[in-house]
Amino acid sequence: MVVLSVPAEVTVILLDIEGTTTPIAFVKAEEDSHLDGAVPIPAASGNGADDLPQMIQAVVDNVCWQMSLDRKTTALKQLQGHMWRAAFTAGRMKAEFFDDVVPAVRKWREAGMKVYIYSSGSVEAQKLLFGHSTEGDLLELVDGHFDTKIGHKVESESYRKIANSIGCSTNNILFLTDVTLEASAAEEADVHVAVVVRPGNAGLTDDEKTYYSLITSFSELYLPSSS
Ligand SMILES: CSCCC(=O)C(=O)COP(=O)(O)O
Ligand SMILES: [Mg+2]
């Protein structure tokens, strides 16, 4: 098995969700007007209830368009959170995690690591996902959650803010993600990164494969402190 040694200065593991802890297939279900093919929600005409059917249809069309592009807008992710709340709390849905995730996270925590989540999904949706998994309530395995309210995942400033909020230096953090743009932003902030390669994830270029440390399972991470 390939092993990636975690630098000794790392005390925090920051996890992406989609494509990292959880299959993309489980999850897929600002201002966009500048985008090609945007489906806008028009302003109401002021005719009150007369507008309602058209407004509802416009919102549905806009949401379908955003979903078709896998947009990570805060508004769409809040809507996802509301829908997940209904489905998870009624017991109609259980979240999936890759098999290696829960055992590895338990091991990291036993070794004294803190584990945080940073996802485009809203904190509410993250808590629903961890709280209603096929392996039970996993919320106790997580020290805290961040979403795009702290900043976008492709902006390095977001990672500085996360370190500040946790109360550590950026180089105390190891960020695991499937998206190289996120890895690059984190690295620019002096965060350690590893790119997670999972079934169903987008492919990486040869340059990306050469440049980044890659793991296909959390079990490939070796913590010197846990040996
Ligand atoms: C709270 S889980 C939902 C994840 C999600 O909606 C999403 O767009 C994936 O984002 P991530 O940053 O976890 O890759
Ligand atoms: Mg992801």
Side-chain angles (χ1 to χ4, degrees), residues 87-130:
F88 277 124
T89 56
R92 287 202 296 269
M93 203 159 103
K94 296 261 184 250
E96 280 172 45
F97 287 81
F98 289 107
D99 287 347
D100 51 279
V101 171
V102 174
V105 172
R106 288 195 200 283
K107 203 169 145 196
W108 299 339
R109 289 175 59 87
E110 278 161 21
M113 291 281 165
K114 299 275 182 206
V115 176
Y116 288 81
I117 306 299
Y118 182 28
S119 171
S120 310
S122 65
V123 167
E124 178 185 15
Q126 295 175 27
K127 288 183 176 170
L128 286 164
L129 188 113
F130 277 81

Side-chain angles (χ1 to χ4, degrees), residues 15-22 24 26-28 70-72 77 80 84 117-127 129-130 148 153 177-179 182:
L15 297 175
D16 165 72
I17 293 180
E18 185 191 67
T20 298
T21 64
T22 297
I24 288 181
F26 178 81
V27 174
K28 275 220 163 65
D70 193 21
R71 302 278 297 144
K72 305 290 185 188
K77 293 300 166 185
Q80 178 190 53
W84 279 15
I117 306 299
Y118 182 28
S119 171
S120 310
S122 65
V123 167
E124 178 185 15
Q126 295 175 27
K127 288 183 176 170
L129 188 113
F130 277 81
T148 53
K153 296 178 76 184
T177 181
D178 59 318
V179 175
E182 297 172 4

